[in-house]
């Protein structure tokens, strides 16, 4: 509710003149419009993000030029010097895959799920071509492919759990999730290896890793649940989460 600055009578909204003293309200509006821009707080500009983005682009450009130069050198050695070497073939495949890794790691793909998926596809490309180069597909399909798929599933699951605990104390929950997901990944990797080697699927080393990591996760969760809120808040401020 507004009041007349001259006589103090209570006014309705959007009124042009005071009904008692007929003081024009447009004068007040013009005064507010003239004074308000000077009283506003300046708009904060975060130049840190722009600096990091520019630096990241520069690093990616330099690495691209270096990898492109390395590819040209390897092609020149192979074509002009007639050098047929397994090392050159492996190096070319690795250089190309490294460029894709840098592309996805450099956050050019804004969707994190797509970036993780791109890294997984790049890994499949790398392992398959390394295995295919000698003309004998022996391990990329049976070992690398299922391990990469399992790793992507584990990472996606971790990202989902991390998203759900976004407004909680992430310093504790992220650690717990990492322990659980790593334990599951180790079990899966040993199972894949035993299956392809025609061994009985009896996790040995992965069982030890699983027990240790799950125990750590349980201990951290119990300590966190019994921790006073005062200490939780201190840890939240300490780790900026």
């Amino acid at each position: 509710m507004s009041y007349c600055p001259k006589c103090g009578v209570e006014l309705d909204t959007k009124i042009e003149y005071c009904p008692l003293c007929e003081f024009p309200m447009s004068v007040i509006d013009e005064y507010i419009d003239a004074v308000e821009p000077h009283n506003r707080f300046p708009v904060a500009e975060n130049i840190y993000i722009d600096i990091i983005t520019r630096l990241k682009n520069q690093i990616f450009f330099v690495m691209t030029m270096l990898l492109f130069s390395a590819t040209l050198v390897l092609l020149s050695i192979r074509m002009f010097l007639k050098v047929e070497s397994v090392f050159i073939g492996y190096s070319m495949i690795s250089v190309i895959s490294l460029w894709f890794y840098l592309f996805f790691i450099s956050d050019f793909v804004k969707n994190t799920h797509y970036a993780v998926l791109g890294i997984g596809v790049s890994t499949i490309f790398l392992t398959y071509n390394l295995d295919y180069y000698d003309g004998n597909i022996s391990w990329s399909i049976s070992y690398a492919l299922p391990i990469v798929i399992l790793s992507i599933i584990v990472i996606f699951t971790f990202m989902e759990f991390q998203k759900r605990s976004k407004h909680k104390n992430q310093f504790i929950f992220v650690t717990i999730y990492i322990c659980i997901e790593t334990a599951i990944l180790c079990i899966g990797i040993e199972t894949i290896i035993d299956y392809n080697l025609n061994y009985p699927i009896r996790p040995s080393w992965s069982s030890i890793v699983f027990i240790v990591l799950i125990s750590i996760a349980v201990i951290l969760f119990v300590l966190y649940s019994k921790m006073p809120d005062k200490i939780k808040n201190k840890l939240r401020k300490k780790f900026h989460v």
Side-chain angles (χ1 to χ4, degrees), residues 7 37 40 47 52 63 65 82 115 129 158 162 224 241:
C7 65
R40 291 177 181 175
I47 62 174
I52 293 299
M63 293 301 299
M65 292 297 99
K82 306 298 181 181
N129 283 277
F158 168 78
Q162 191 271 340
Y224 174 77
V241 293

Side-chain angles (χ1 to χ4, degrees), residues 12 23 30 53 64 74 85 87 105 110 119 124 141 158 213 223 226:
D12 294 331
F23 184 81
E30 292 174 359
T53 302
T64 299
L74 293 172
S85 175
F87 173 76
I105 293 175
K110 299 303 180 182
I119 293 174
I124 294 174
I141 302 297
F158 168 78
L213 292 178
L223 290 176
K226 300 297 182 180

Side-chain angles (χ1 to χ4, degrees), residues 112-113 116 154-164:
T112 309
H113 289 81
V116 172
V154 169
I155 293 174
F156 280 179
T157 306
F158 168 78
M159 292 170 62
E160 182 63 25
F161 284 137
Q162 191 271 340
K163 181 180 179 181
R164 293 186 178 183

Side-chain angles (χ1 to χ4, degrees), residues 60-76 95-96 99:
F60 180 77
F61 177 76
V62 172
M63 293 301 299
T64 299
M65 292 297 99
L66 291 175
L67 295 176
F68 180 74
S69 301
T71 304
L72 289 179
V73 170
L74 293 172
L75 285 173
S76 301
V95 168
I96 295 173
W99 185 88

